[in-house]
Amino acid sequence: MMFHSNNPGDIALIPSVRAGGRSIFHLMVLLLLLLLSGLVQGAQIRVETDRSDIAADDNFQIIFSVEGDAAGEPDFSVLNKDFELLGTSQSRSVSIINGKTSRTTRYLVNVLPRREGELTIPPVSFGNDKSPQVKILVKESGVQGRPSAAGADASVFLEVSVDEETPYVQQQVILTVRIFSSISWREASLSEPEFEGGEVLVQKLGEDSRYQKQRAGKNWQVIERRYALFPQQSGDMRMQALNLHLRIPAGRKKRQSPFGGGFNDPFFDDFFSNQSYRNKVVRGKEITLKVKPAPAGFTGGQWLIARSISLEESWSDDPGKLKAGEPVTRTLAIVADGVTLGQLPDLEIDEIDGLRIYPDEPVAQEQATSVGILSTSSRKFAIIPVRPGDYGIPAIELKWWNSETDKEEVAKIAPRVIKVAGSARVSVPPVPVVPETVAEKPPEKTAPLQVDLPPVVSPVADGNKWLLAGAVLFLVLWLVTLVLFLRLKRSAPFSCREEAEAKLPAADLNTKAAWKALHESVEEGSAAGIREALLMLAPVIWPEQSPRSLEAMAQRVGEPLSGELLNVSRELYAGEKASWDGLRIEQEMKELQKDIRRKAGSKKQEALKPMYPEL
């Protein structure tokens, strides 16, 4: 059986069945190859740049034109080796010529060269399709106001510098960035400092300053910005080049503002003039900090480096004229130049026998000035003397490293002695001693209570009688005072404390409120609330020398309460997510209070006295 056709060409191309299965197979393979070749040629990719004259400080566009349907989306990450990607956009177009439809997709990639010289635009993958490789020449950029090799005048450039390239770890480094310009520009934005090689804390200092400066006989407008850098570890820290993105005039003449004055008005420049702008990226230089570890010769417990540090103290009353039972406030402060708040140590006062010390929460302030970071931390301590006497207050020392002199120094508050007098009660003077010459006089010849004495009575005898009368009077008053005191003590054992306790926080005196606060904090799962409530309960459970921190409290109790308290402290201060059981803390604290009450017994009254002067 034959396949007939009136077209001789068709007869030549289409074999007969008699030719066998081999000819049909060859025909199918030929058709498949033709189909695949059509698919391969369906997407043609061209690569070009928007201009041929490219300088190292100029951004430009790489244009990828895809005719037909690409096998996938493009991956431009391969460009990062020699270029900084600033943004991408795309457009599509469809054309019909002689009934044939063609589609073109254009990808516009805005880039900035990372260096000068011959750079390669590598093949970019579009699924299985790839763009061709293209080489371009990047010329030298304009430096320090000199014209660039690319022929463009350096009308805008950056100066970047640091005051110390080899700092110690955590030392403040001042980064100064200056923008020089000789033209007007629009919509400028400066990238933030970013580092490779380790963590560096970056903080902007104050507001930008603006001034004029002359260089090489040319006037420049200068904008200066400063940063404080704090490297957190030793090693090489490389700061990436800062980029200034802005729009500069494209060269067309501006119109003057209709309001006169001969100046360029931005509003009318944008809407009523033919002035056009182009995008430009100005790049600064890279900077590497070679950070040194803390010197081995530093003897302080905590590494602290600054330009200057001082310790200060003040008292609410004269520490040489205090009274037992009356509180006085001592304020300590640390002022550090070139230090962040996180680097400052805590201000503490050691416990002193005979003094009850109640610290307030620290008050901290960090100020960013034009020359660096100035940090201040102050803390108030309420001190209640227990009994009269002289108390030695030890010195406070803080060792730190001076970054200006590269030496260890010590900030110090000198030791002092506070003098505490007795409370304002009537004191009983001693009975006067009668001179032996007066005692030889017969008592019957004197009249102790007579005021109209005969003039013959000797002056010595007359004085002796008044002394004896005064002694008797004071003795009677002393006995009356003692009786009244014993009666008041039985009826109101705490009345003598009311005035002093009124000056303490109400939460320290209200035990019920403290237990309620603890219970509510446990239900809410608040570690901070539990800490506050426990410190309110501390003076109730430990009247003498009560702990002022969770760590100190943990040292006075056993397990499991000790471990739970330490876990709460870790979550609050160490930044760790610790596991703790609030219900167990509440139960153990209640058991602890019961146990202390059983042991105290009849000594409960005495246990509350040490806060106040002995009577």
Side-chain angles (χ1 to χ4, degrees), residues 29-49:
V29 170
L30 178 61
L31 293 175
L32 180 60
L33 291 175
L34 292 174
L35 178 61
L36 290 176
S37 64
L39 291 176
V40 172
Q41 297 177 0
Q44 296 181 355
I45 304 175
R46 299 193 315 273
V47 180
E48 57 186 339
T49 59

Side-chain angles (χ1 to χ4, degrees), residues 200-409:
V200 178
L201 300 181
V202 180
Q203 186 165 347
K204 184 175 178 292
L205 297 177
E207 298 296 328
D208 298 343
S209 59
R210 299 170 182 264
Y211 54 90
Q212 290 186 350
K213 191 170 185 177
Q214 190 175 66
R215 177 169 295 180
K218 186 175 182 180
N219 291 326
W220 296 88
Q221 298 291 332
V222 183
I223 299 177
E224 182 174 300
R225 178 175 295 183
R226 296 163 70 87
Y227 298 88
L229 311 177
F230 295 90
Q232 298 301 297
Q233 63 192 69
S234 58
D236 290 351
M237 309 289 178
R238 186 178 68 86
M239 187 188 79
Q240 300 176 6
L242 297 179
N243 292 328
L244 175 66
H245 297 256
L246 71 164
R247 297 177 63 211
I248 63 174
R252 297 180 183 178
K253 185 179 178 180
K254 292 185 178 182
R255 293 180 179 177
Q256 298 295 321
S257 169
F259 298 106
F263 61 90
N264 295 324
D265 184 84
F267 179 82
F268 286 93
D269 281 348
D270 291 340
F271 294 97
F272 295 97
S273 76
N274 61 354
Q275 175 64 63
S276 63
Y277 291 84
R278 66 181 179 89
N279 293 327
K280 182 178 180 64
V281 178
V282 180
R283 173 179 290 171
K285 69 175 182 178
E286 294 182 350
I287 290 180
T288 299
L289 300 179
K290 296 185 177 297
V291 184
K292 300 177 292 187
F298 181 69
T299 61
Q302 174 183 335
W303 170 245
L304 181 62
I305 183 169
R307 289 192 296 202
S308 67
I309 287 183
S310 62
L311 288 176
E312 303 172 358
E313 72 165 345
S314 62
W315 295 78
S316 60
D317 293 311
D318 186 353
K321 299 178 181 180
L322 303 181
K323 291 184 179 180
E326 295 187 359
V328 63
T329 300
R330 184 191 190 193
T331 303
L332 299 179
I334 176 173
V335 181
D337 183 7
V339 177
T340 63
L341 283 178
Q343 297 172 251
L344 292 182
D346 295 331
L347 293 169
E348 299 288 351
I349 296 180
D350 295 333
E351 295 183 1
I352 301 174
D353 186 30
L355 300 178
R356 300 301 304 275
I357 302 175
Y358 297 89
D360 284 352
E361 290 296 323
V363 177
Q365 181 181 11
E366 186 176 276
Q367 183 180 3
T369 69
S370 59
V371 295
I373 299 297
L374 181 66
S375 296
T376 304
S377 177
S378 63
R379 194 174 193 182
K380 294 184 177 181
F381 299 83
I383 303 176
I384 302 177
V386 172
R387 60 185 70 88
D390 293 349
Y391 296 90
I393 306 296
I396 299 178
E397 294 186 351
L398 177 62
K399 295 182 178 180
W400 61 286
W401 196 267
N402 191 322
S403 61
E404 300 290 325
T405 62
D406 200 22
K407 294 181 180 179
E408 180 179 309
E409 296 189 13

Side-chain angles (χ1 to χ4, degrees), residues 554-569:
Q555 294 177 0
R556 301 194 185 189
V557 300
E559 292 291 348
L561 181 56
S562 175
E564 297 293 344
L565 295 178
L566 292 177
N567 287 337
V568 173
S569 179

